[in-house]
Each structure stands twice: as C-alpha cells, then as structure tokens.
Amino acid sequence: MIKYCSGCGVLLQTIDSSKEGYIPEEKIKDSNYCKRCFRLINYNDTNTVDKTTSNNKIIDYVNKSDSFKIYLVDLLNINDYTIDLYNKIKGEKILLVSKYDLYKKLFNKNKLLYKLNKIYNLDNLDIISINNEKDINKLVNYLKKNNIKKSYLIGLTNSGKSSLINKIIELNNLSLDKVTVSNKINTTLDYINIKVNNSINIIDSPGFILDEYKINKNYKKLIKPITYNMKKDEVLYLDKFYIKFDSPTSITLYTYNVISKKYYKDMDYEYNLSIDANSDLCIMGLGFINIKNKCNISLHGLDKKIVSIRESLL
Ligand SMILES: Nc1nc2c(ncn2[C@@H]2O[C@H](COP(=O)(O)OP(=O)(O)OP(=O)(O)O)[C@@H](O)[C@H]2O)c(=O)[nH]1
Ligand SMILES: [Mg+2]
C-alpha cells in the first residue's frame, strides 16, 4: 500500500523504525500519520532519525517550477542570510513576515513594511500572524485576485509554514488532515499539496536550515525589548557571549528570551566590528540589537558567520 504521511509528507513504511515515515504494520490501515508525527503531535517529542533536505535542493526544486512562492520569515530572523535565500528564489514571490502577534505592540505594521522595503529592497511583502483571521483571508484573497493557482510555501524551519496551512484548512472548513506543527526543527520533511478549492493549491515544504545561535525558543512569549545605556568599555553579557563597547551608546535588545546584564570585564576578544549610528546588529536565530551611536564593538563567544549589520529597522 502506497501512502504518504499527512503530517510531514514522507512515504509511510513499516520496515525500519529508525527511518523516516515509519508506522507499525498494524496501524497503517487506519492511521495517516507516521510514528514521528504521532509523537510530535501528542508528546512534542521526536525520537526517530530525521531526513534533512538541503537548502540548495529545496531552492532547485521550487525554482524548477514557475508557480508562485510564498516565503515566510519571522521578524527576529530577518537578516542578510535569510534575505539572501529569498533572493535566490526565482519568479513571482512574496515575502511574509510571520508571527506578528509576538511583536505587534512594538512595531507599527506600515512603518515596518516601509523600513523592510527600504533596507532590503523588497517589492512584494506583507506581515502575517496565524492568530489573526484577517491576515489569513487576505493571503487567500490575494491568491484568488491574482489568479495564482499553485504556490509553494517556503522559508526557514519554524517560520510557521505548516501552522499557516492548518489555519487555511480550518478557516475554509476543508475536510483534510492537519499537517504537523512543532517548535522542533525540520518538522515537515517533504512537499504536501493542500487543495484549498478548485483554483487554489498551496504546497507546504521542508524548511531551510541555516547556521544559527542555538537557544530554546518559546513562540508564545511576547518579544520584550530591553534597553541599556552602555558606558565606554562596558561589556554586555548576553546568554553565552560578550560585546564590549568602546564608546557610550544606548542599545536595545530585540531577542528571544535570554539572560542579559552589563558590567566591566577584561577578556580576549575574538573580533571587532565598527557600527554606524542607529544600526542593528543581527544575530541569526536570536534576534537583533539596536545600537544608537556610532561605535566600535569587540565580540567574544559569538560566531562571526551568524552576525550581520543593517540600518536600524526603527
Ligand atoms: N506566536 C506565533 N507562533 C507561531 C505562529 N506561526 C507558527 N508559530 C509557532 O512556530 C512554531 C513552528 O511552526 P511550524 O508551523 O511547525 O513551522 P514550519 O515553518 O512549518 O517549520 P518546519 O516544518 O520545520 O519547516 C510552532 O511552535 C508554532 O506554534 C504565529 O503566527 N504566531
Ligand atoms: Mg512545517
């Protein structure tokens, strides 16, 4: 019997419990979910080997098709690395900034759209939250209005692609199995076609994985900015790394929940960066730090290849 897992998209198999798509023989007739999805949905737990599809493989696959692409990325993960991936996607596309409910009190939608467009030169973008019905309907109406019959939903792992699919299923009363959602990486393993109606198909995809700062993220906790006034040679300690400022400046942290404090500390710094007035220091996987004054910073314990600098979003 050939059957695909409704949750993650892989071919179901009853032979190897350590491989993707495994389902016990006695369950395959009645269940549409592999053991891994069953455990993710019911216990938020994975204990089987995960398949990872490389970013290039996903990009090549979707670029072969002239279908529309919807690229999801949450605000804290917008940086040079994720925009680079977006720029590699060919054809008609839109960038959707996801999880707006986590920071809507901090950023006005229109101002944010204006700044993102200005900084990254994005011509088609919008902001979305799965907790706002209007946002979901707006997307479906956009597809209808532009006569977009087939679109790929792509983006970083955990950006909320499958959650968006489930909301579309729910709001359109579709009699389809829900796809699997979790805060673990690599939840969706293969492409899953969702027929919204006779003229709209949306395809859920495996997420992109980039080098990132590793922390446990809680997507239910609102983003709370923290401001510090740094004095000359003061050091910001953030989770597991250090940033020393060579001149006074105010800084504001927009990050997932991590411990921070400031003090004076001598240590060997690994590299320096010069920061222009009103810039954001973006840290892939963690968020960004707004720095008000022009200064030089020295860093310790933070991999340079996940760091980028941009004009302030504010
Ligand atoms: N607060 C908030 N959380 C969201 C939103 N969308 C998704 N999430 C959470 O983000 C996490 C990841 O969601 P998924 O839908 O599984 O993400 P994905 O992009 O499909 O991830 P992969 O399948 O690994 O590529 C889950 O914990 C969701 O509950 C949103 O709009 N707001
Ligand atoms: Mg998914």
Side-chain angles (χ1 to χ4, degrees), residues 95-158:
L95 184 140
L96 287 185
V97 185
S98 62
K99 302 185 187 169
Y100 186 57
D101 52 301
L102 295 183
Y103 50 86
K104 68 177 176 202
K105 294 215 166 77
L106 308 176
F107 298 98
N108 168 285
K109 238 182 197 180
N110 287 333
K111 270 194 199 154
L112 195 54
L113 287 171
Y114 170 79
K115 278 308 279 243
L116 286 169
N117 181 15
K118 182 168 173 262
I119 296 171
Y120 293 109
N121 200 13
L122 303 162
D123 49 4
N124 197 10
L125 84 160
D126 209 342
I127 296 176
I128 198 164
S129 162
I130 56 153
N131 298 318
N132 187 343
E133 212 175 305
K134 273 192 198 151
D135 291 352
I136 315 286
N137 291 335
K138 189 176 169 198
L139 174 66
V140 174
N141 287 334
Y142 175 90
L143 300 176
K144 260 187 214 156
K145 200 175 125 222
N146 290 286
N147 200 17
I148 297 167
K149 296 201 164 58
K150 183 175 161 190
S151 34
Y152 283 97
L153 195 49
I154 49 179
L156 273 197
T157 183
N158 275 338

Side-chain angles (χ1 to χ4, degrees), residues 115-227:
K115 278 308 279 243
L116 286 169
N117 181 15
K118 182 168 173 262
I119 296 171
Y120 293 109
N121 200 13
L122 303 162
D123 49 4
N124 197 10
L125 84 160
D126 209 342
I127 296 176
I128 198 164
S129 162
I130 56 153
N131 298 318
N132 187 343
E133 212 175 305
K134 273 192 198 151
D135 291 352
I136 315 286
N137 291 335
K138 189 176 169 198
L139 174 66
V140 174
N141 287 334
Y142 175 90
L143 300 176
K144 260 187 214 156
K145 200 175 125 222
N146 290 286
N147 200 17
I148 297 167
K149 296 201 164 58
K150 183 175 161 190
S151 34
Y152 283 97
L153 195 49
I154 49 179
L156 273 197
T157 183
N158 275 338
S159 56
K161 301 177 292 299
S162 302
S163 306
L164 176 56
I165 291 267
N166 283 346
K167 270 286 163 191
I168 293 173
I169 292 178
E170 193 184 309
L171 295 176
N172 290 277
N173 294 318
L174 305 178
S175 52
L176 293 173
D177 288 339
K178 292 274 177 83
V179 291
T180 306
V181 162
S182 84
N183 61 354
K184 304 272 189 302
I185 61 162
N186 252 326
T187 302
T188 307
L189 297 178
D190 217 325
Y191 301 91
I192 306 173
N193 186 66
I194 302 292
K195 189 172 171 175
V196 181
N197 55 39
N198 281 337
S199 55
I200 298 180
N201 284 274
I202 302 179
I203 301 159
D204 195 4
S205 316
F208 296 121
I209 308 260
L210 289 171
D211 287 334
E212 64 167 14
Y213 193 80
K214 295 265 182 300
I215 45 157
N216 282 332
K217 290 171 194 128
N218 179 349
Y219 298 116
K220 292 195 171 73
K221 237 183 175 154
L222 300 186
I223 306 300
K224 286 215 175 93
I226 302 173
T227 298

Side-chain angles (χ1 to χ4, degrees), residues 265-281:
K265 188 177 171 73
D266 271 337
M267 75 176 85
D268 288 334
Y269 287 94
E270 289 146 359
Y271 60 99
N272 303 317
L273 295 171
S274 68
I275 308 285
D276 284 337
N278 211 15
S279 299
D280 292 336
L281 181 77

Side-chain angles (χ1 to χ4, degrees), residues 237-266:
Y237 166 73
L238 194 53
D239 192 43
K240 292 190 273 307
F241 64 90
Y242 303 86
I243 308 177
K244 183 174 150 184
F245 293 80
D246 80 335
S247 50
T249 178
S250 156
I251 63 169
T252 304
L253 317 181
Y254 296 89
T255 66
Y256 290 106
N257 194 29
V258 285
I259 290 170
S260 64
K261 57 184 176 183
K262 61 167 193 161
Y263 44 50
Y264 290 97
K265 188 177 171 73
D266 271 337

Side-chain angles (χ1 to χ4, degrees), residues 13-109:
Q13 53 92 10
T14 56
I15 295 166
D16 189 344
S17 64
S18 69
K19 295 248 162 71
E20 78 223 27
Y22 177 75
I23 180 170
E25 177 90 53
E26 65 276 15
K27 302 241 164 78
I28 193 160
K29 217 169 131 246
D30 302 319
S31 173
N32 296 335
Y33 293 89
C34 68
K35 189 175 167 194
R36 175 180 177 271
C37 281
F38 179 83
R39 293 198 65 86
L40 274 174
I41 295 165
N42 294 295
Y43 312 111
N44 193 28
D45 159 41
T46 44
N47 57 356
T48 49
V49 177
D50 293 350
K51 179 177 92 168
T52 54
T53 313
S54 76
N55 297 346
N56 283 341
K57 219 166 149 186
I58 300 168
I59 290 171
D60 287 349
Y61 184 81
V62 299
N63 276 349
K64 267 191 214 129
S65 157
D66 55 9
S67 303
F68 191 72
K69 283 95 178 179
I70 304 165
Y71 183 95
L72 239 68
V73 57
D74 71 275
L75 185 73
L76 294 193
N77 275 321
I78 297 186
N79 54 46
D80 288 0
Y81 304 103
T82 48
I83 297 298
D84 240 31
L85 274 180
Y86 178 68
N87 288 336
K88 287 185 178 149
I89 308 299
K90 290 187 188 141
E92 295 284 303
K93 58 187 176 181
I94 186 168
L95 184 140
L96 287 185
V97 185
S98 62
K99 302 185 187 169
Y100 186 57
D101 52 301
L102 295 183
Y103 50 86
K104 68 177 176 202
K105 294 215 166 77
L106 308 176
F107 298 98
N108 168 285
K109 238 182 197 180

